[in-house]
């Protein structure tokens, strides 16, 4: 059976690879031609998919990366895994709309279309279905089937991968659900059926909003604990020994990535737009998490001030720029806001991050290496991202002053959030 996966990013590529492995004929539609040539050359750009995995899929003759939707002709199953970003805090579903319109051209009777992209409840039935019906002249439920199944990919997680992470599944009707279950039942170990796509869409948003809100909680707690002279990090680790009913989250310089800063806002946008009310937990969490870079700068100013230096003219060294450890992703990273603020205050900003590619490097920031010279030459260092490759002892010993936003450092010149 032919399966089309629209979008070959960190969500779509693992689905494609797994579908090939279990015997499907897979067409991976990817509009970024650089990515397509990478796939054809078996050069992976997705953390959990190795070049060898790609080579094996290509060698099977059952994997075709392409930017041409016409290759999806006659698909039995199509899975849409395209981005759903925010544009000025408003959900941008244009990628879903264009993927659906393109698939409608090759949609045939008996086919199933599944949406995986994170979006607000109602998108599958109210946006995806009409586009598929109008573009094909077919009737959903009667001629073709539609479902929703959120992704739970956690890049770099060696314990929970695509196959062993339970998969929430749904369909617009009983027959659609059974076809969605049949497909994913061949790919993963455990399915979690829910009654309609709306519940499945909400499940994903709940998972990420829960995470976002709890990070905001420990961030706000960190601000007050420091003023109270209490070590919040110790309290968090001690609380984490409670074997039931507690989940460990840690403070940080802000919440980055393209999921957590985005997904909860799909919910708060929907509640405001469709109900005229405010989803206060989400809006409060956004306020607190977005405030963390400003708080880091305030703490930096105070530390420099205590050492007799103004922020203006001081050399500030950011150790790490990526939004989380061991990735090079700087999208929505708190460091972007940090750099803006520090430069606004007239600081001379340098940074170290071997994971971040040159073309993503922030403007006006001098790129330096992690050496005792660069650490000693800076008036203050800020540990922004705790990449495993960093020599934390060197940072402790060589820094004049250091603000540790990840609780990885010890020593007299160290302050932490
Ligand atoms: N962060 C904290 N404190 C924490 C956890 C995270 O400050 O306790 C920060 C991180 O530094 C980072 C941001 O939040 O800047 C997001 O971190 P993340 O670990 O949530 O990483 P993401 O956004 O790449 O992926 C999350 C993952 N959710 C998890 O349960 C780990 C991933 O599984 C989801 O699939 C993804 O969101 C998504 O698709 O929504």
């Amino acid at each position: 059976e032919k399966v089309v996966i629209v979008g070959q990013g960190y969500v779509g590529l693992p689905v494609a690879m797994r579908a090939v492995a279990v015997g499907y004929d897979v067409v991976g539609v990817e509009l970024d031609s650089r990515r397509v040539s990478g796939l054809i050359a078996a050069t992976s750009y997705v953390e959990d998919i190795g070049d060898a995995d790609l080579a094996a899929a290509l060698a099977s003759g059952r994997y075709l990366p392409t930017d041409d939707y016409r290759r999806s002709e006659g698909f039995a199953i199509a899975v849409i895994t395209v981005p759903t970003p925010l544009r000025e805090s408003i959900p941008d579903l244009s990628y879903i709309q264009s993927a659906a319109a393109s698939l409608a051209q090759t949609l045939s009777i008996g086919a199933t279309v599944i949406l995986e992209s994170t979006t607000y409840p109602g998108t599958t039935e109210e946006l995806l279905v009409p586009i598929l019906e109008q573009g094909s002249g077919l009737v959903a439920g009667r001629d073709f089937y539609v479902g929703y199944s959120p992704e739970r990919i956690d890049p770099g997680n060696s314990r929970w991968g695509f196959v062993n992470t339970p998969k929430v599944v749904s369909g617009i009707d009983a027959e659609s659900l059974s076809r969605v279950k049949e497909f994913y039942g061949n790919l993963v170990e455990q399915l979690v059926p829910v009654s309609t796509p709306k519940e499945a869409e909400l499940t994903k948003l709940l998972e990420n909003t829960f995470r976002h809100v709890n990070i905001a909680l420990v961030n706000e707690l960190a601000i007050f604990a420091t003023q109270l002279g209490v070590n919040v990090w110790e309290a968090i680790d001690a609380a984490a020994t409670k074997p039931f009913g507690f989940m460990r989250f840690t403070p940080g310089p802000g919440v980055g990535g393209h999921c957590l800063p985005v997904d909860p806002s799909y919910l708060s946008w929907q509640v405001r737009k469709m109900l005229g009310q405010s989803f206060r937990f989400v809006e409060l969490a956004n306020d607190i998490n977005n405030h963390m870079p400003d708080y880091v700068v305030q703490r930096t100013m105070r530390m420099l001030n205590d050492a007799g230096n103004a922020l203006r003219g001081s050399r500030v060294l950011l150790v790490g720029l990526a939004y989380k450890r061991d990735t090079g992703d700087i999208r929505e990273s708190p460091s972007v806001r940090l750099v803006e603020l520090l430069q606004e205050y007239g600081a001379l900003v340098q940074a170290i991050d071997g994971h971040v590619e040159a073309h993503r490097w922030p403007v006006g920031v001098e790129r330096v290496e992690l050496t005792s010279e660069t650490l000693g030459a800076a008036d203050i260092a800020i540990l922004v991202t705790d990449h495993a490759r960093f020599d934390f002892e060197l940072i402790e010993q060589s820094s004049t002053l250091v603000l540790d936003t990840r609780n990885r450092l010890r020593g007299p010149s160290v302050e932490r959030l």
Side-chain angles (χ1 to χ4, degrees), residues 10 151 153-154 204 208 211 249-250 256 259 323-324 406:
Y10 82 94
E151 57 89 0
I153 304 285
D154 185 20
K204 173 67 183 177
N208 278 353
R211 192 167 174 76
F249 292 90
T250 52
C259 303
Y323 81 94
K324 73 172 185 178
R406 301 291 187 175

Side-chain angles (χ1 to χ4, degrees), residues 30 66 108 125 173 177 281 292 357 386 399 415:
E30 170 56 59
T66 178
S108 51
E125 285 117 321
D173 58 19
L177 175 60
F281 269 105
M292 292 314 282
E357 294 165 347
D386 51 339
S399 298
E415 277 195 29

Side-chain angles (χ1 to χ4, degrees), residues 18-92:
R18 182 63 183 155
V20 171
V22 301
Y24 287 103
D25 272 318
V26 178
V27 174
V29 175
E30 170 56 59
L31 297 187
D32 177 337
S33 50
R34 277 173 310 148
R35 284 183 159 190
V36 174
S37 34
L39 295 171
I40 291 170
T43 313
S44 176
Y45 48 81
V46 167
E47 184 170 353
D48 297 336
I49 304 293
D51 295 354
D53 302 322
L54 279 180
L58 292 164
S60 76
R62 287 183 287 105
Y63 177 55
L64 174 68
T66 178
D67 58 3
D68 181 358
Y69 270 95
R70 283 169 306 180
R71 308 306 295 261
S72 67
E73 192 77 39
F75 66 83
I77 310 262
V79 182
I80 302 174
T81 61
V82 296
T84 47
L86 283 177
R87 291 258 184 284
E88 282 90 48
S89 334
I90 297 175
D92 174 5

Side-chain angles (χ1 to χ4, degrees), residues 193-242:
V194 292
S195 49
T196 82
K198 284 189 174 72
E199 283 73 29
E201 289 158 338
L202 184 60
T203 299
K204 173 67 183 177
L205 291 178
L206 168 58
E207 288 168 10
N208 278 353
T209 300
F210 173 82
R211 192 167 174 76
H212 195 63
V213 167
N214 279 284
I215 294 167
L217 169 65
V218 294
N219 278 334
E220 188 170 44
L221 189 62
I223 293 173
F224 294 134
T226 300
Q227 294 170 54
L228 294 168
V230 181
N231 184 327
V232 71
W233 298 87
E234 259 188 59
I236 289 167
D237 287 341
T241 61
K242 184 177 179 195

Side-chain angles (χ1 to χ4, degrees), residues 85-153:
L86 283 177
R87 291 258 184 284
E88 282 90 48
S89 334
I90 297 175
D92 174 5
L93 301 181
S94 59
Y95 296 102
I96 294 180
Q97 288 166 305
S98 55
S102 301
L103 286 173
Q105 303 311 311
T106 57
L107 181 61
S108 51
I109 291 194
T112 301
V113 179
I114 303 165
L115 179 61
E116 287 212 356
S117 306
T118 304
T119 183
Y120 57 78
T123 301
T124 300
E125 285 117 321
E126 292 150 25
L127 181 88
L128 177 61
V129 166
I131 295 174
L132 292 172
E133 289 185 323
Q134 281 142 31
S136 65
L138 301 177
V139 175
R142 193 192 68 192
D143 303 323
F144 65 95
Y145 308 99
V146 183
Y148 182 84
S149 174
E151 57 89 0
R152 284 176 167 171
I153 304 285

